[in-house]
Amino acid sequence: MGQRLELQQLLETFAPNVYFQPPTNVQLKYPCIIYKRDFANSEFADDIVYNHTLRYAITIIDQNPDSDIPAKVASMPMSLFNRFYTVDNLNHDVYNVYF
């Protein structure tokens, strides 16, 4: 839990509105970052887990197609660009980040 809160604090330095797995009844304010846990990587030695890292799907939603928020997320260690798409004139940049 502590690592997720550290990620939350870091993402709050990138965008004014950050949401972790928001329910459908939450009214989003843009620009924003939505993130959720989507994968975990475990490494083993002698059948024992010695490293377990969570991966988060981080979606930046902004009306500005030239937003600087995606570049900030892209500069994070272990950050991989996944895809870009638009919905209702909002730009969505999706990254996978191990944190």
Side-chain angles (χ1 to χ4, degrees):
M1 177 77 121
Q3 288 181 320
R4 189 193 67 76
L5 295 177
E6 289 176 29
L7 178 59
Q8 173 85 25
Q9 289 178 332
L10 177 61
L11 295 175
E12 287 173 350
T13 66
F14 299 160
N17 306 296
V18 178
Y19 306 96
F20 176 67
Q21 299 178 186
T24 56
N25 63 344
V26 171
Q27 181 70 35
L28 301 177
K29 297 179 185 174
Y30 305 108
C32 72
I33 293 176
I34 297 173
Y35 70 106
K36 64 182 180 178
R37 208 171 63 193
D38 80 336
F39 185 76
N41 186 42
S42 296
E43 297 179 44
F44 299 88
D46 294 327
D47 296 328
I48 298 171
V49 175
Y50 72 91
N51 188 23
H52 181 77
T53 307
L54 297 176
R55 185 178 79 183
Y56 294 87
I58 298 176
T59 305
I60 300 109
I61 306 173
D62 200 338
Q63 296 164 326
N64 178 5
D66 297 320
S67 172
D68 64 341
I69 299 170
K72 293 176 182 177
V73 172
S75 70
M76 294 173 61
M78 302 294 290
S79 177
L80 300 167
F81 179 75
N82 184 295
R83 68 186 173 277
F84 172 83
Y85 61 95
T86 58
V87 175
D88 297 330
N89 291 326
L90 292 170
N91 303 287
H92 296 66
D93 289 275
V94 182
Y95 288 83
N96 293 327
V97 176
Y98 286 92
F99 195 85

